[in-house]
Amino acid sequence: MSRDFALIPTRAELERTLEHAAPRGRTAVVMTMGALHDGHATLVRAARAHVGTEGYVVVTVFVNPLQFGAGEDLDRYPRTLEADLKTAEAAGANAVFAPSADEVYPGGAPQVRITAGPMGERLEGASRPGHFDGMLTVVAKLLHLTRPDVAFFGQKDAQQLALIRRMAKDLNFPVEIVGVPTVREPDGLALSSRNRYLAPGERRTALALSAALFAARDRLAAQAALLARAETLPASESRAEALSRLGEARAAADAHAVAAATPGGAHAVRAAARAVLDEAAKAEPPLRLDYLALVDPSDFTEVRDDHTGEAILAVAAKVGTTRLIDNLPLTFGAPA
C-alpha cells in the first residue's frame, strides 16, 4: 500500500482520519461486505470521479451479521481483506474502514434498529425476513461514522438501493445517494461475490437470470416498434385482411400484430422472461425460481399491464446452494 492509502480498523481512527481529510474536499463512501470484484471497483471509480482528486473516498468492508438470517451464509461469506485493500486502492480509494463487529456494535447486537417498512417486506424482504432491517441499520451507522457528502451503491441490489434512498429522505440524512449501473461479466452474469460458489454446470444454468431479463427487454423493444408502426398505419387491420385473401400469410401476420399493438404490455414482458426461466428449471442442475417481478421503482409493488413509465424487472433464484439476484430497469412507453 502507498503512504497515502490507509487501512482503518477502529471508529476512533476513522474519526481522526476524517478530521484530517475534511478540508481536502467532498467525502464519498462505498459500502461493501468485502470480497471485492470489478463491480465494487466500478463504484469506487465512480466515487472518485464524483469528488475529484481533492475529495476523499472511503470504502467500508464489514460483513454485517444483522442482515443474515437463520441458515444463510454468514460464516461461509468470503473474507479477503488483503485482496480487497489492493482492489480499493487501485480503483482510487483513500482508505478502507474495516471494523470488527465489536467496533460497529459495541456491547452486542443493537436493541434499537431501523425498520424497512412495507417496501422491505416485499420480494427480497419476503424471502429473507429481517434482512432489510439489518441492512438499513448498518448503513445508517456507517453513514454516521463516515459522514459522507455522497454514498454510492450498485443498482444490482435495486431494492436495497430504493430502501436506502427512502431512509435518507424519510430520516433527513444529509447525504446524496447515487446508484451505479450493474456490472456484468462477458457472458452476461451480474457480478456478485457469490458467483465464486458456482460450479461450471451451475454457472451455465445461472446465466438464465440475465438471459430472462434480456429477453424481456427485447420483447419490450419489439412491442414499442410495433406500436410506432401502428401509429403510422391506421388502416393496418384492413391491410392484414387483404393480405390474408392474397395468401400472404407472413405479411398478414405481421400486419395483424401491428394492428393489435397497444401501449403497456407488462404481461408480455413478464411472459418473455418466464419462458427462459421455465426452460432453466428443466436444466441439470436446475434453476429454482424464487420470484420474478415487474415492479414500480418507488415502492416495489407489481405494475399493471397498462403501466407506462419506469419499472424494474427483478428476479431471484437458487442454483445448487447459491442464491442469486438480478434486475433490469425498463421504460414502458410514455404517458398519454
Side-chain angles (χ1 to χ4, degrees):
M1 294 187 295
S2 72
R3 292 178 57 187
D4 294 330
F5 180 82
L7 168 61
I8 304 172
T10 69
R11 291 175 295 153
E13 187 173 342
L14 177 66
E15 179 76 18
R16 290 193 297 271
T17 300
L18 292 175
E19 286 178 358
H20 175 73
R24 296 176 55 178
R26 286 163 58 83
T27 298
V29 67
V30 174
M31 297 183 191
T32 82
M33 293 205 300
L36 302 189
H37 48 64
D38 195 52
H40 298 111
T42 298
L43 295 175
V44 178
R45 289 191 288 267
R48 171 54 63 203
H50 189 89
V51 301
T53 56
E54 293 302 310
Y56 198 82
V57 178
V58 180
V59 174
T60 68
V61 172
F62 179 64
V63 182
N64 177 34
L66 296 191
Q67 65 195 71
F68 287 80
E72 292 190 337
D73 54 358
L74 173 60
D75 293 334
R76 185 186 176 204
Y77 199 87
R79 291 156 171 86
T80 57
L81 183 58
E82 288 302 318
D84 294 346
L85 296 174
K86 294 177 182 177
T87 299
E89 182 179 14
N94 295 97
V96 167
F97 177 47
S100 66
D102 289 339
E103 279 289 326
V104 177
Y105 304 120
Q111 296 184 34
V112 177
R113 307 185 187 194
I114 289 178
T115 300
M119 195 196 323
E121 297 172 357
R122 300 172 187 136
L123 301 187
E124 283 298 289
S127 297
R128 305 175 65 189
H131 166 72
F132 285 127
D133 293 356
M135 178 276 294
L136 289 177
T137 298
V138 80
V139 168
K141 287 184 70 82
L142 290 172
L143 286 174
H144 287 310
L145 291 171
T146 58
R147 306 196 306 271
D149 300 290
V150 58
F152 287 77
F153 297 90
Q155 291 179 359
K156 174 180 166 289
D157 297 298
Q159 193 173 2
Q160 170 180 285
L161 174 59
L163 281 163
I164 292 169
R165 282 178 166 150
R166 187 61 189 245
M167 178 184 73
K169 176 182 178 182
D170 287 355
L171 302 184
N172 299 104
F173 277 74
V175 61
E176 178 186 0
I177 305 297
V178 176
V180 177
T182 300
V183 178
R184 299 185 179 277
E185 301 198 36
D187 58 10
L189 189 67
L191 281 175
S192 169
S193 302
R194 291 187 168 96
N195 290 353
R196 67 186 68 196
Y197 299 150
L198 297 169
E202 292 172 340
R203 185 186 174 88
R204 286 192 294 272
T205 296
L207 293 176
L209 273 75
S210 55
L213 299 178
F214 298 155
R217 178 193 61 192
D218 293 345
R219 181 63 176 270
L220 180 60
Q223 286 183 182
L226 284 174
L227 186 60
R229 289 176 60 194
E231 291 174 349
T232 62
L233 296 170
S236 53
E237 188 63 58
S238 59
R239 175 174 174 268
E241 293 169 357
L243 287 167
S244 294
R245 289 194 295 271
L246 291 171
E248 297 289 344
R250 291 183 63 182
D254 177 70
H256 276 298
V258 171
T262 58
H267 175 75
V269 168
R270 291 186 187 96
R274 185 167 288 278
V276 175
L277 298 170
D278 286 346
E279 283 301 308
K282 305 172 188 175
E284 184 54 47
L287 181 142
R288 302 192 302 281
L289 183 64
D290 186 349
Y291 61 75
L292 173 70
L294 185 62
V295 299
D296 186 320
S298 66
D299 60 9
F300 274 67
T301 56
E302 286 278 353
V303 302
R304 295 169 35 145
D305 192 47
D306 60 355
H307 177 75
T308 57
E310 300 302 313
I312 292 175
L313 184 61
V315 62
K318 268 193 173 183
V319 183
T321 61
T322 304
R323 187 174 184 276
L324 300 170
I325 64 172
D326 202 349
N327 72 83
L328 200 65
L330 300 172
T331 302
F332 286 77

